[in-house]
Amino acid sequence: VQLQASGGGLVQAGGSLRLSCAAAGRSFSLDNMGWFRQPPGKEREFVAGISRDGGSTYYEDAMEGRFTISRDNAKKMVHLQMNSLKPEDTAVYYCATLSYYGSRSADYWGQGTLVTVSS
């Protein structure tokens, strides 16, 4: 499976960004999907996950209420709407497939997109 994230950029604190991830290579609707991020100088961390049909989602506590994950199986896309951004949200964001719903570990990674939040 090939995954390509896009939509990153520079935004002021309190602003919003919508990230997108395009999938190719196999049946997208069979995969639970997730977003992860890697802040500068830190390890990669889980952000959000979504079930195969998009009906269920879960989040890391720090993102709950600010971030929303969604997917469009017809277009083979997964999105991450990020609101009320903080400087500590600065990171490279990646989408990934998950081996099961509820997992916080990725199976396949895609190319990331950089999000920079200025104070």
Side-chain angles (χ1 to χ4, degrees):
V1 61
Q2 293 85 45
L3 303 170
Q4 178 66 58
S6 62
L10 175 63
V11 62
Q12 289 188 333
S16 298
L17 276 177
R18 185 178 189 241
L19 305 183
S20 296
C21 175
R26 70 184 194 193
S27 182
F28 177 69
S29 61
L30 296 180
D31 288 314
N32 297 291
M33 297 296 297
W35 283 96
F36 295 74
R37 70 184 187 185
Q38 186 165 17
K42 298 183 179 181
E43 294 187 353
R44 201 172 298 187
E45 60 187 14
F46 172 79
V47 172
I50 190 166
S51 59
R52 294 182 180 94
D53 66 357
S56 299
T57 59
Y58 57 107
Y59 301 88
E60 187 60 31
D61 289 346
M63 295 74 164
E64 184 82 51
R66 297 191 299 124
F67 291 7
T68 302
I69 187 172
S70 62
R71 66 190 295 164
D72 184 335
N73 284 349
K75 295 182 179 179
K76 296 187 178 181
M77 299 284 290
V78 61
H79 304 285
L80 185 69
Q81 177 68 41
M82 305 186 296
N83 299 327
S84 302
L85 283 163
K86 306 174 182 180
E88 52 263 43
D89 293 319
T90 294
V92 178
Y93 284 72
Y94 302 85
C95 64
T97 60
L98 305 174
S99 58
Y100 60 90
Y101 179 77
S103 172
R104 281 171 159 75
S105 298
D107 282 350
Y108 295 101
W109 299 100
Q111 295 291 323
T113 186
L114 176 63
V115 172
T116 303
V117 184
S118 63
S119 57

Coordinates of all heavy atoms in Angstrom, one line a residue, residues 37-45 87-92 94:
R37 N 2.3 11.4 14.5 CA 3.1 12.6 14.3 C 4.5 12.4 15.0 O 4.6 11.7 15.9 CB 2.4 13.8 14.8 CG 2.3 13.9 16.3 CD 1.5 15.2 16.7 NE 1.5 15.4 18.1 CZ 0.8 16.3 18.7 NH1 0.1 17.2 18.0 NH2 0.9 16.5 20.0
Q38 N 5.5 13.1 14.5 CA 6.8 13.1 15.1 C 7.3 14.5 15.3 O 7.7 15.2 14.3 CB 7.8 12.4 14.2 CG 9.1 12.2 14.9 CD 10.0 11.1 14.2 OE1 9.8 10.7 13.0 NE2 11.0 10.7 14.9
P39 N 7.2 15.0 16.5 CA 7.7 16.4 16.8 C 9.2 16.4 16.6 O 9.9 15.4 16.7 CB 7.3 16.6 18.2 CG 6.2 15.6 18.5 CD 6.6 14.4 17.7
P40 N 9.8 17.6 16.4 CA 11.2 17.7 16.3 C 12.0 17.2 17.5 O 11.7 17.5 18.6 CB 11.5 19.3 16.2 CG 10.2 19.8 15.7 CD 9.1 18.9 16.3
G41 N 12.9 16.3 17.2 CA 13.7 15.7 18.3 C 13.0 14.7 19.2 O 13.6 14.3 20.2
K42 N 11.8 14.3 18.8 CA 11.1 13.3 19.6 C 10.7 12.1 18.8 O 10.8 12.1 17.6 CB 9.8 14.0 20.2 CG 10.1 15.2 21.1 CD 8.9 15.7 21.7 CE 9.2 16.9 22.7 NZ 7.9 17.4 23.3
E43 N 10.2 11.1 19.5 CA 9.7 9.9 18.8 C 8.3 10.1 18.2 O 7.6 11.0 18.6 CB 9.7 8.7 19.8 CG 11.1 8.3 20.3 CD 11.0 7.1 21.2 OE1 9.9 6.6 21.5 OE2 12.1 6.6 21.6
R44 N 8.1 9.2 17.2 CA 6.8 9.3 16.6 C 5.7 8.9 17.6 O 5.9 7.9 18.4 CB 6.8 8.4 15.4 CG 5.7 8.7 14.4 CD 5.9 7.8 13.1 NE 7.2 8.1 12.4 CZ 7.5 7.7 11.3 NH1 6.7 6.8 10.6 NH2 8.6 8.0 10.7
E45 N 4.5 9.5 17.5 CA 3.4 9.2 18.5 C 2.1 9.1 17.8 O 1.9 9.7 16.7 CB 3.4 10.3 19.6 CG 3.1 11.7 19.0 CD 3.2 12.8 20.1 OE1 3.8 12.5 21.2 OE2 2.8 13.9 19.8
P87 N 1.6 25.5 19.5 CA 3.0 25.3 19.1 C 3.5 23.9 19.3 O 4.3 23.4 18.5 CB 3.8 26.3 19.9 CG 2.8 27.4 20.2 CD 1.5 26.7 20.4
E88 N 3.0 23.2 20.3 CA 3.5 21.8 20.6 C 2.9 20.8 19.6 O 3.2 19.7 19.6 CB 3.2 21.4 22.0 CG 1.7 21.7 22.4 CD 1.5 23.0 23.2 OE1 2.1 24.0 22.8 OE2 0.8 23.0 24.2
D89 N 2.0 21.3 18.7 CA 1.5 20.4 17.7 C 2.4 20.4 16.5 O 2.2 19.6 15.5 CB 0.1 20.9 17.2 CG -1.0 20.7 18.3 OD1 -1.0 19.6 19.0 OD2 -1.8 21.6 18.4
T90 N 3.4 21.2 16.5 CA 4.4 21.2 15.4 C 5.1 19.8 15.3 O 5.6 19.3 16.3 CB 5.5 22.3 15.7 OG1 4.9 23.6 15.6 CG2 6.6 22.2 14.7
A91 N 5.0 19.3 14.1 CA 5.5 17.9 13.9 C 5.4 17.6 12.4 O 4.7 18.3 11.6 CB 4.7 16.9 14.7
V92 N 6.0 16.5 12.0 CA 5.7 15.8 10.7 C 4.6 14.9 11.0 O 4.7 14.0 11.9 CB 6.9 15.1 10.1 CG1 6.6 14.4 8.8 CG2 8.1 16.1 9.9
Y94 N 2.0 11.8 9.7 CA 2.0 10.7 8.9 C 0.6 10.0 9.0 O 0.1 9.9 10.1 CB 3.1 9.7 9.3 CG 4.5 10.2 9.3 CD1 5.0 10.8 10.4 CD2 5.3 10.0 8.2 CE1 6.3 11.3 10.4 CE2 6.6 10.4 8.2 CZ 7.1 11.1 9.3 OH 8.4 11.5 9.3

